[in-house]
Amino acid sequence: MGEITSTLWQLDNRELVACISASERKLRRDYAEHLAFLAEADARGTAYSLGYSNTTALLMHMLNISRSEGNQRLAHAAALNDAKTPTGAAIEASIPLTAKKLDTGDVSVGQVEVIRRFVGSLDHLEPEKITLAEELLIERAAQDDPNALARFGERVVRDIVDPDGKPPNFDAPQRPERELRRHTYSDGHLEFKGRLDAETAVLFNELLKPFEKYEADDPRGYAERAGDAFGDVLQQAANCPDLPTHNGLKTEVAVTISLNQLMNLAADHVLPGTQLTTADARRICCDAHVLPAVMGGASKPLDIAVPAYTIPAHIRRALVLRDRGCTFPTCERPASVSHGHHIVEWQHGRPTAVDNLVLLCGRHHRLMHRSDWKVELKDDVAWFIPPDFVDPERKPRRNLLHRQESRAS
C-alpha cells in the first residue's frame, strides 16, 4: 500500500479517477464474497455454536460494527445467496440478478439495499412480476444513485408490476379485549400471541419500558429487546413476596440433576427428561434455589435438606454495591435484573464468595457459559478476556459505565 500511495502524484486526473472506479468495483466484488461467508455462517448456526444468541451479536464483537450495519449485511446475505433450511430444503435467493451484478462490481451496496427492500415489498405478487421488477431496477441502476433508484422504483416500476397495490386487509370479527394464546413446542420453547385492552396495554408497556431501553451497540433488535424485557418483568414478578401460591408454595421450576452429572457431563449433553443441556443447568445453578436431596435407587427421595440459595442475600447485596449492574463491557443493564455469576463454578470447589462472583444480565450470563469469553476479578473490577476470533490478542476489557455512575453519585 505504501508503494502505491507514494506514486499517486504521478497520475493525471483521468488516471486517478480510473483507479477510484477500479477500486470501487473490487470493493463490491469483495462485499459479494463477504456476504457468501455470512450466509454460510448464518445457515449453519456458527454464532450459536460459539456461544452467541445470533449472528449479528457475533459480528458486532468480531468486526466492531453497529447492530444496524450487522443486520443489514445479514439481510443482504440472505437476499443474494441460496440457503438450506435445517431440514435440507433449498431456499433460493430473492434477488439473484442483483447478486450477479454485485459479484461483477456493477451495483453498489446502497443500490443492493434499495432493490432488496423494493422486491421484498412485492411478496404478494406472482414470481414473474417480481422478476420483472428486479430486471427493471437492475437496468436503471447503471445510471441512478440509490435515492434516484428508489424513486424510480416507486414511481415507475410499481405502476408497471403492481398498479393495484396490496389487497385490502379487512378487519377480523370482534374479539375479546384481553386474550392470550400460547403453545409449547417439543423442544421446550414457547410461542404466544394475544391482545390487551387499552388500560392493560398502558400497564404492560410501562412495565417493559425500564428493561427494553436501547443500549449503545446493543446487538439485539427491537423484538429481541422486548422479549428480554418481558423475561425480566417475569423474573421480578417471580421474586415478588406477594406472588400467589399453589398448594402452599410459590411457583417454581424444578430441575433435578446429580452433582456428578453437573460436574462431569459434556456441556452440550441434554439432561434426561428435559430440554436443558448440562451447560444450561450450570448457568442456572450460578444463582438459584438449591435443594440438596438424597435419592434412592428408583429416584425416591430419602432425605431432603433445608433449601438454600447458592448466593445468599447478604452476598448479593455486596455484589450490587460493588458492581452496580451487569459487568460485561458496554452493558448498561441494572443490578435488579442481573444474576450472580461464579467466576469458577461452585461445583468445581470454589466458594460462593464475593471475590468469586460478578453480576451479569441474562444475555451476557448465557454468553459466558456458552462461549470462550473469560472473566477475572482484579481489585474488585471484572476484566473480560474475549475469544481469539473477537480479538486475536485477547486484550482484557472492562465495563466503565456503572463505575462512572458510582463516581457521579
Side-chain angles (χ1 to χ4, degrees), residues 138-194:
I138 286 293
E139 182 179 350
R140 187 72 181 188
Q143 53 186 303
D144 279 354
D145 63 69
N147 289 333
L149 185 63
R151 292 193 295 269
F152 174 77
E154 291 296 335
R155 297 177 183 178
V156 178
V157 178
R158 194 173 292 279
D159 286 343
I160 296 174
V161 302
D162 190 27
D164 297 328
K166 286 188 176 182
N169 182 20
F170 298 104
D171 292 335
Q174 186 65 37
R175 295 187 294 174
E177 285 194 314
R178 288 190 293 190
E179 64 176 356
L180 178 65
R181 303 175 187 273
R182 59 191 188 272
H183 176 74
T184 303
Y185 289 83
S186 58
D187 64 358
H189 81 272
L190 174 75
E191 287 189 5
F192 57 89
K193 62 183 295 186

Side-chain angles (χ1 to χ4, degrees), residues 209-231:
K209 272 184 182 178
F211 300 108
E212 62 179 350
K213 174 185 173 184
Y214 175 72
E215 303 165 1
D217 295 328
D218 192 333
R220 301 171 300 167
Y222 170 77
E224 191 175 354
R225 289 202 311 275
D228 286 344
F230 189 43

Side-chain angles (χ1 to χ4, degrees), residues 327 341-343 358 368 373-377 382-385:
T327 54
H341 170 70
H342 287 74
I343 296 174
V358 294
M368 291 300 297
W373 280 87
K374 304 296 180 186
V375 60
E376 297 176 351
L377 198 62
W383 290 89
F384 291 79
I385 299 99

